[in-house]
Amino acid sequence: MTPPTTRAQRLAMPLARDVVRELAITRGACIRPVQLRRTDTTTGRTEPVLVPCGHTLAAVCPSCAKRGQKLRAAQCREGWHLEREPVLEPDPPNDEQLVWVEHRATAQQWRDHAETTGQDTADDDELIADLDNEITRSGIRGNVLPARPARRHRSTRRRQDTPELPRRAIAPRTIGKTYTAPGGATFRPSMFITLTLPGYGRVTSDGTPTSPDSYGYQRAARDALHFAALFDRFIQNLRRFLGYDVQYFAAVEPQRRLAPHIHVAIRGTVSRAELRQVLAATYHQVWWPPTDQVKHDEHNQPVWHEPTGRYLDPVTGELLPTWDQALDAIGENDEPLHVARFGERFDAQGVLAGSRDAARCIGYLTKYLTKHVADCHQARTGAQQEHADRLADALRYEPCSPSCANWLRYGVSPKNPREGLRPGRCKGKAHRREHLGYAGRRVLVSRKWSGKSLADHRADRKAWLLQTLGIAETDPGRYTWEPVTPGDPDHMSRARRLLHAVAERIQWQTALDRARRQAAGNSPPNLSATGRAA
Ligand SMILES: [Zn+2]
Ligand SMILES: [Zn+2]
């Protein structure tokens, strides 16, 4: 090739670092690998190991996002048509765990004795906190002494405008019924359901309101904020109604009108009529203080009062009511701040294991997982841009949680207040444009779906890889790991890390291909393959 002579020719040449990045992406290598130092505790040898960043957004790392998406699809597939109850037996406690819990029991006895005899419990409390940390570190779930949540009677008051649902005792099974066809074949159908929120005003096919001024932006904002709680209610009701421990794998996605909706894979079946009944009876009431009156705008912000750790009214100098006081002020005859419900339109279809429909639905469920909620439908027209702006405006001063800074605007101290809170500047995810009011997780999976966490599915995949490559799994206790920081002598620059990540990826892909070819040809795999699987 003749060397380029003109500026235009030079500019047309690809940039070296872009080529490496592209190569990494096409090969599926992480483009932001993290460097760790691995020390072999038997030989004392250290070596650098690059681990993938594991980000779930394609905009950050396409390779890791894609891997995560595949893992989710595997999790979804595995749980949907389970034929046997997933086994979730916890391991018996080991000796270390027993010792810590014994210490913890003694410490509690000391502490409670000190309290009843009027002594200072500070030292005991500190010891207890340390022991609780050790208990958690030793791999025990939960707390030995769960904190008792304060009960507020009001929050359970049933709405009179909502039909009551027949309630059944929930049987411990998680698997749906099987049906037998006349020919004798049995099958166990499952469901794919899509739930949407109600309408807030007419929208055109591009998702924008026909009359933006009368569109219910506030309701849309509140429904989005409380969407996860509403879905939770729906599942509770569905379980009570069907009488078994229904399991689900769900993905929250935005619709074109920018309201969240949810695709749900459910194990077992429910008829459309039953589903309609459950949906009609499902609501979530938000018992928060009223926000219809702006008490403090930009010009008279509440002032932090250090001695009390609370906020003051800048004019009267009085303390703002605490979060608990404000909740207690909600009377028996007051209405909740918001009642969230699903809309009347829903979609439900039966799906059989291994069918083309099942594969298509899993595609739906994982389709947008690698994108931010707001990036699923990019604004292309002025109307769409304006619609997104109006929704963001509605979310700006809407309290997102009990600890939201926006409560100051309505004359209430947020829960756990601290200095420097400013209404309209809450850091909560829900207020950010890219979240459209929904700050919850994109994938909601019930505990007994596949009986495995994402980490378990990842471990399955790794075990399969190692087995295919014919590499013996190493004892995890043999190595210690530590992060490598830029000041360390063995630190690799980002560009160098990326080159190594690409090289490793190519090596093990080659090894994997060879192992597969050999397996297909029934010849024993050559075990001298590269020693490292990413
Ligand atoms: Zn990555
Ligand atoms: Zn907030």
Side-chain angles (χ1 to χ4, degrees):
M1 189 178 161
T2 44
T5 46
T6 69
R7 185 176 144 79
Q9 278 175 329
R10 266 197 322 277
L11 285 176
M13 293 162 69
L15 208 57
R17 61 168 188 268
D18 290 346
V19 176
V20 181
R21 194 174 177 279
E22 277 311 308
L23 182 61
I25 293 168
T26 46
R27 284 292 189 156
C30 173
I31 60 165
R32 318 180 318 147
V34 180
Q35 188 184 353
L36 297 181
R37 188 182 300 119
R38 184 173 78 170
T39 307
D40 186 330
T41 53
T42 53
T43 64
R45 232 188 71 193
T46 64
E47 65 173 325
V49 174
L50 297 175
V51 294
C53 73
H55 210 283
T56 56
L57 291 178
V60 180
C61 181
S63 307
C64 287
K66 196 164 206 173
R67 235 180 347 258
Q69 191 179 31
K70 277 191 187 155
L71 215 53
R72 284 295 191 188
Q75 186 186 34
C76 180
R77 196 176 304 115
E78 204 164 308
W80 207 356
H81 305 280
L82 277 194
E83 307 217 327
R84 245 172 262 145
E85 293 291 343
V87 181
L88 290 177
E89 285 299 316
D91 296 334
N94 61 32
D95 288 347
E96 187 201 353
Q97 291 167 335
L98 287 173
V99 167
W100 287 120
V101 174
E102 277 170 25
H103 283 311
R104 178 66 178 78
T106 314
Q108 188 70 41
Q109 197 181 31
W110 286 343
R111 187 217 168 268
D112 291 348
H113 177 74
E115 192 182 50
T116 46
T117 54
Q119 298 166 55
D120 183 19
T121 62
D123 286 350
D124 291 331
D125 286 334
E126 202 173 307
L127 174 64
I128 282 175
D130 286 348
L131 288 172
D132 281 340
N133 284 337
E134 289 301 337
I135 286 171
T136 305
R137 195 198 45 76
S138 75
I140 294 181
R141 277 182 297 150
N143 297 312
V144 293
L145 191 66
R148 221 182 300 154
R151 278 192 160 261
R152 276 175 205 281
H153 186 63
R154 186 175 40 241
S155 61
T156 57
R157 200 174 68 193
R158 219 180 64 77
R159 289 193 72 80
Q160 299 305 313
D161 59 359
T162 302
E164 198 160 5
L165 212 54
R167 291 177 168 212
R168 287 163 215 174
I170 300 177
R173 71 188 169 87
T174 72
I175 296 196
K177 285 188 213 125
T178 52
Y179 297 85
T180 308
T186 60
F187 55 98
R188 193 191 300 275
S190 285
M191 298 287 290
F192 182 69
I193 299 171
T194 301
L195 304 177
T196 54
L197 287 167
Y200 308 112
R202 267 189 58 193
V203 291
T204 59
S205 61
D206 72 351
T208 62
T210 46
S211 84
D213 289 335
S214 61
Y215 190 80
Y217 282 105
Q218 188 185 57
R219 276 198 309 124
R222 289 180 179 176
D223 278 352
L225 287 169
H226 301 287
F227 191 72
L230 179 65
F231 177 67
D232 216 50
R233 274 297 144 99
F234 166 75
I235 291 294
Q236 286 174 28
N237 285 342
L238 190 67
R239 284 177 177 160
R240 288 207 189 103
F241 183 77
L242 295 177
Y244 74 98
D245 194 6
V246 180
Q247 301 296 305
Y248 60 87
F249 179 104
V252 179
E253 310 296 353
Q255 290 176 286
R256 210 175 288 275
R257 61 174 177 151
L258 306 182
H261 71 166
I262 190 162
H263 296 305
V264 197
I266 280 181
R267 193 148 76 223
T269 49
V270 49
S271 74
R272 290 185 70 88
E274 289 172 322
L275 200 54
R276 191 167 293 121
Q277 213 180 333
V278 175
L279 283 171
T282 297
Y283 57 87
H284 169 64
Q285 308 195 88
V286 183
W287 288 104
W288 282 356
T291 58
D292 39 12
Q293 234 191 75
V294 176
K295 295 191 176 154
H296 301 280
D297 61 13
E298 296 80 68
H299 309 294
N300 73 31
Q301 300 271 342
V303 188
W304 176 250
H305 184 239
E306 188 62 45
T308 54
R310 288 170 61 180
Y311 279 89
L312 295 173
D313 184 311
V315 180
T316 65
E318 273 179 59
L319 289 169
L320 260 47
T322 64
W323 177 250
D324 281 333
Q325 286 167 347
L327 285 190
D328 288 338
I330 302 173
E332 271 300 308
N333 299 316
D334 287 330
E335 285 294 309
L337 175 72
H338 183 63
V339 183
R341 295 174 193 275
F342 284 109
E344 277 168 19
R345 293 169 67 172
F346 65 88
D347 199 73
Q349 62 178 99
V351 179
L352 282 171
S355 64
R356 188 121 47 95
D357 273 350
R360 191 174 44 83
C361 292
I362 292 170
Y364 268 130
L365 281 157
T366 53
K367 184 173 173 190
Y368 290 125
L369 293 186
T370 64
K371 289 184 175 185
H372 259 310
V373 169
D375 292 342
C376 300
H377 303 292
Q378 292 274 16
R380 294 219 164 73
T381 64
Q384 285 175 332
Q385 188 61 50
E386 195 200 319
H387 183 51
D389 288 347
R390 287 216 186 200
L391 182 64
D393 278 349
L395 284 160
R396 181 150 180 237
Y397 288 118
E398 200 58 60
C400 67
S401 68
S403 51
C404 184
N406 286 348
W407 285 114
L408 293 173
R409 183 171 168 88
Y410 309 107
V412 172
S413 168
K415 193 175 177 179
N416 307 325
R418 57 200 156 73
E419 194 178 358
L421 297 180
R422 289 287 295 269
R425 304 243 184 102
C426 170
K427 295 278 193 304
K429 257 164 70 175
H431 303 288
R432 281 192 240 146
R433 269 192 103 88
E434 66 267 31
H435 290 279
L436 302 173
Y438 176 76
R441 277 175 302 162
R442 296 287 294 284
V443 179
L444 306 165
V445 189
S446 61
R447 212 166 65 84
K448 297 174 195 160
W449 176 254
S450 60
K452 291 177 187 174
S453 68
L454 212 52
D456 295 330
H457 286 284
R458 196 174 291 124
D460 283 355
R461 162 118 187 114
K462 190 177 169 196
W464 175 83
L465 268 175
L466 292 179
Q467 201 195 1
T468 309
L469 290 170
I471 301 168
E473 201 147 0
T474 46
D475 168 17
R478 181 169 164 187
Y479 299 106
T480 57
W481 301 80
E482 54 193 338
V484 177
T485 49
D488 297 345
D490 53 350
H491 177 254
M492 290 155 75
S493 69
R494 189 180 169 146
R496 192 181 293 257
R497 289 203 299 277
L498 188 55
L499 286 170
H500 279 242
V502 171
E504 280 177 20
R505 181 88 187 168
I506 291 172
Q507 279 156 16
W508 82 250
Q509 268 175 348
T510 310
L512 191 62
D513 282 349
R514 192 166 53 215
R516 275 174 166 155
R517 267 202 309 278
Q518 278 166 342
N522 276 335
S523 56
N526 174 7
L527 303 191
S528 67
T530 158
R532 213 181 283 151

